Structures are given as C-alpha cells and as structure tokens.
Amino acid sequence: MRIGELAAQTGLSRDTIRFYERTGLISGQRLPNGYRDFPPETVPWLAYVRTAQALGFSLAEIARTGEELRDTSDSAAALSALFEEKIAVIDARMAQLSALRADLTARAHTGCPLRAAG
C-alpha cells in the first residue's frame, strides 16, 4: 500500500510515516515510479508502535523490542517481561524525582536556595 493509504489506515501523518521509515521502524519498497509501497502488516505494527509510545517506551526501545518479539515464540510472556522492566525503570525514576522534590522543598524560602541544604 502507498503512504497515503497507510496514513489513512493508521491515523498517522505522512511525515510521521516517513520519519519511522528513516529511523528503521518500518520499511517500504520503492516502486519504479518512486512511490513507497508498504506491506499490509505495517498497519498493525504501527498500532503497536503507537500503543508502546503511549505506555512510555521510546522509539529506540520499540525498535529493539520489536526485533526481540518477532524472534520469540511466546510474545505475551516476552511483553510481560518488558513491562516489568519498564515498571522498574519508572519506580527508580519516581524515587529520584521524590528525592529531588524533597531537596527542592528543603531549599525553598531559604536565604540562598543554591547552597547545600543543612
């Protein structure tokens, strides 16, 4: 299918699809007339990409995990493992943000907030 049809079926812009192609998330074949031709399985793959992004995965993570998932026999178990890893990353980041918030709170309304809190 051509890029316009792919854009219509996925709700993505042509520019986004071109970007995904440049970054290697999707690949299309160039026809002799210069048009891009994408296989039908690109539609569900782009739905996966959009969902993964909404769940906090970067495009680099999606590209890496997409390759891993294609090579596994049990994608549900593999996805669950990826989610557990992402949850651990989020928990660590939340702890960092909580510590940062506490530090900022301790420094607020002091004579010089950039001095070490004491």
Side-chain angles (χ1 to χ4, degrees):
M1 82 183 67
R2 292 191 186 149
I3 194 169
E5 185 181 349
L6 183 59
Q9 287 190 26
T10 61
L12 297 171
S13 71
R14 292 173 190 209
D15 287 338
T16 299
I17 293 169
R18 287 183 191 107
F19 175 76
Y20 288 167
E21 186 179 27
R22 279 193 311 274
T23 59
L25 278 171
I26 61 172
S27 61
Q29 179 183 355
R30 284 287 184 167
L31 299 174
N33 61 5
Y35 292 147
R36 293 170 175 87
D37 186 44
F38 295 95
E41 59 269 12
T42 307
V43 174
W45 169 246
L46 288 175
Y48 171 84
V49 168
R50 292 182 78 186
T51 301
Q53 280 187 294
L55 292 173
F57 289 88
S58 69
L59 291 178
E61 289 172 320
I62 295 166
R64 180 180 47 83
T65 58
E67 291 173 15
E68 292 172 8
L69 290 174
R70 285 185 206 127
D71 295 336
T72 186
S73 60
D74 186 2
S75 61
L79 274 172
S80 291
L82 288 172
F83 287 1
E84 291 295 330
E85 290 174 23
K86 192 65 168 179
I87 289 167
V89 168
I90 290 168
D91 287 345
R93 183 67 179 138
M94 288 174 63
Q96 291 171 342
L97 288 171
S98 180
L100 176 59
R101 186 183 194 289
D103 189 23
L104 288 169
T105 299
R107 291 171 187 256
H109 309 294
T110 63
C112 182
L114 294 180
R115 288 195 187 131

